[in-house]
Amino acid sequence: NNSVMGHLFAYPLRADDALQEMAEDIRDNELQGLVDIRHIESKEIILDDGSKGWLTVSDAVNPTEKISLRLSFLTVRGYSSAITLMLFAIPNVYSSFQDDIDSLNTSLKVSAPVINGYSRDEILIIDGHSTDKTRDIDGQMGIPVYLDRG
């Protein structure tokens, strides 16, 4: 096949882990089941928005289909999880798309979720609070409060 495939997924964020350690653990977990694994690269990169990511690149073989693959994993710290973009292809196809892969990796942008127009890191969510209002302003802290009647 002449295409590069990708997956974007999240892992629980472990605040005490360094970005490199977290990225390499995620890579190792995702490579389970493949054989002849060879790690080519593991380095910090700066994304277009100035944030840091950790990029790892590995070669491996799918033992079932006997297909060689080159896989890259870009891991960044999200709001509440580690976000990883995995891209993979057969090695010669991966190489032919290298510039596009590099651009895609550096353009990854992760931000806090938005709730009722407020960034998740700017709003307090109170579970089970009883009120008729869906949004209020906390008088003491001056921050928006979303009241979840769930």
Side-chain angles (χ1 to χ4, degrees):
N1 175 326
N2 289 326
S3 58
V4 176
M5 304 296 292
H7 296 280
L8 183 67
F9 47 88
Y11 272 82
L13 187 60
R14 301 179 315 209
D16 57 334
D17 283 350
L19 184 57
Q20 177 180 0
E21 178 183 2
M22 193 169 43
E24 291 176 350
D25 285 350
I26 290 169
R27 174 205 60 204
D28 293 345
N29 185 61
E30 293 300 318
L31 291 175
Q32 289 182 21
L34 300 178
V35 296
D36 298 331
I37 298 168
R38 186 171 60 94
H39 302 304
I40 298 168
E41 188 171 39
S42 182
K43 66 179 184 179
E44 181 181 82
I45 65 170
I46 303 300
L47 306 182
D48 293 345
D49 68 359
S51 63
K52 295 178 181 179
W54 198 270
L55 177 68
T56 65
V57 179
S58 302
D59 283 341
V61 174
N62 179 324
T64 307
E65 300 173 10
K66 309 277 191 266
I67 296 173
S68 294
L69 298 169
R70 177 152 296 162
L71 307 98
S72 69
F73 299 87
L74 172 64
T75 300
V76 299
R77 288 185 184 275
Y79 179 75
S80 60
S81 56
I83 307 298
T84 298
L85 174 62
M86 177 179 75
L87 301 171
F88 59 96
I90 59 175
N92 65 323
V93 171
Y94 187 99
S95 294
S96 70
F97 283 98
Q98 186 68 60
D99 290 342
D100 297 309
I101 290 169
D102 292 345
S103 293
L104 182 59
N105 279 331
T106 58
S107 69
L108 183 63
K109 182 176 180 179
V110 177
S111 61
V114 175
I115 300 170
N116 285 351
Y118 293 97
S119 174
R120 175 60 185 98
D121 58 354
E122 297 174 347
I123 192 168
L124 174 65
I125 299 175
I126 301 173
D127 187 26
H129 189 281
S130 65
T131 182
D132 293 342
K133 299 177 183 176
T134 57
R135 195 173 73 204
D136 219 339
I137 298 292
D138 179 349
Q140 293 182 350
M141 299 194 314
I143 60 172
V145 177
Y146 177 73
L147 306 169
D148 182 5
R149 292 188 214 82

